[in-house]
Amino acid sequence: DCQLAAAFWMSCYQVMTALRDCQKKHPSHADLICQHLTAKAGWCIFQSLCPREVAALEDCVGTVNIRGSGAVPARCIEREELLAACIEGQHQAAEDRSAQCPSKKLRQQQAAQQPQQAQPQQAPAQQQAQLR
């Protein structure tokens, strides 16, 4: 398939752009028509998150084979598992970061719940001066 061959040689930016365009052009059948671009986009994301693990798996399986069929030979299962572990680690790290950073809506709710602070207290020296 010419589209599949073209997707293989595209940069990740080009793949993401082509996927977006394909999904807009074929909104009711994007899953089927754009599936080659969806797979390539996923692989681009994996490459950006876990470049060493992706390279190791591609070296074992072969770049064309891994991006084409997705079948991983038995001799490469360990590398596939290392990639899966890396992706899971990245996912967990993203979840942890998200949990530490409240959303804008949550921050607004928290700010609205805090009572308005009273007038700032005067410094002790100013208080003593007023007493004299």
Side-chain angles (χ1 to χ4, degrees):
D1 180 63
C2 292
Q3 288 181 331
L4 182 59
F8 176 77
W9 295 108
M10 298 167 85
S11 73
C12 286
Y13 175 79
Q14 291 170 319
V15 169
M16 298 300 190
T17 301
L19 177 58
R20 183 193 66 223
D21 293 346
C22 184
Q23 290 170 335
K24 284 182 181 180
K25 186 175 179 180
H26 308 283
S28 59
H29 301 291
D31 288 349
L32 179 63
I33 295 172
C34 308
Q35 91 183 60
H36 62 289
L37 293 169
T38 302
K40 176 67 175 154
W43 200 245
C44 283
I45 293 169
F46 293 165
Q47 285 175 314
S48 69
L49 293 173
C50 304
R52 290 181 299 221
E53 291 80 1
V54 167
L57 185 57
E58 286 180 341
D59 287 347
C60 185
V61 174
T63 305
V64 173
N65 293 332
I66 193 70
R67 293 182 181 170
S69 69
V72 177
R75 71 180 187 282
C76 304
I77 294 297
E78 183 178 333
R79 292 179 188 194
E80 180 185 37
E81 290 170 353
L82 290 173
L83 175 58
C86 177
I87 293 167
E88 179 59 32
Q90 293 286 345
H91 178 251
Q92 188 59 51
E95 292 279 330
D96 293 346
R97 284 190 304 274
S98 294
Q100 292 175 0
C101 301
S103 67
K104 181 178 179 182
K105 183 177 180 179
L106 181 60
R107 287 192 309 266
Q108 290 171 339
Q109 290 173 346
Q110 290 171 342
Q113 291 175 355
Q114 291 178 353
Q116 294 293 328
Q117 293 185 356
Q119 294 284 336
Q121 294 184 358
Q122 296 177 347
Q126 290 175 334
Q127 289 174 347
Q128 289 179 359
Q130 288 177 348
L131 294 175
R132 293 184 190 163

